[in-house]
Amino acid sequence: MDAKSLHFLAKFFESFGAEVAQLTAEKVGELIPQAQGERSQNLMDATEICQYLGISVSHFYKVKKKHGKKFPTVNIDGAIRFNPLHVEEYFSNHNNKDTNG
């Protein structure tokens, strides 16, 4: 390959790499705030999730204990939190299985 072709390829890959890096940075920049917002806004402790669901804390813990590790939880440095959308979906799927079975 001659020097002119090598120079062309080097410039092409240099600009291509810069474009890929920029697109990647933009996409990561979009995703990080979404993930941080989801974690900080949607996660609830046991009292909050019970208020949200309109059930007592004791009933909630009975259900959680019955379902064990299948129950959707998030462990943040030992603090158990719950995503209300995941808990609602879990209850919905569990109720559907009970009525269909």
Side-chain angles (χ1 to χ4, degrees):
M1 202 176 274
D2 64 359
K4 189 175 182 178
S5 297
L6 288 174
H7 179 72
F8 171 78
L9 286 175
K11 287 292 183 185
F12 170 78
F13 284 113
E14 182 180 311
S15 66
F16 179 74
E19 189 174 332
V20 168
Q22 180 181 356
L23 291 173
T24 302
E26 288 172 5
K27 191 62 177 174
V28 168
E30 292 170 10
L31 295 177
I32 287 176
Q34 291 173 0
Q36 288 174 337
E38 180 179 329
R39 278 185 291 193
S40 64
Q41 293 175 3
N42 291 340
L43 295 182
M44 300 178 175
D45 64 20
T47 304
E48 293 168 328
I49 195 73
C50 291
Q51 290 172 347
Y52 177 81
L53 296 171
I55 61 174
S56 71
V57 174
S58 61
H59 177 71
F60 176 75
Y61 277 113
K62 285 178 190 174
V63 172
K64 184 180 173 302
K65 183 178 180 179
K66 177 182 175 184
H67 296 277
K69 293 187 181 204
K70 296 178 189 175
F71 197 85
T73 61
V74 177
N75 186 333
I76 303 173
D77 293 328
I80 302 299
R81 297 292 182 258
F82 307 93
N83 182 315
L85 298 176
H86 296 167
V87 173
E88 283 182 321
E89 182 180 325
Y90 182 83
F91 278 125
S92 177
N93 290 337
H94 178 71
N95 289 337
N96 288 339
K97 289 177 183 175
D98 284 348
T99 56
N100 292 334

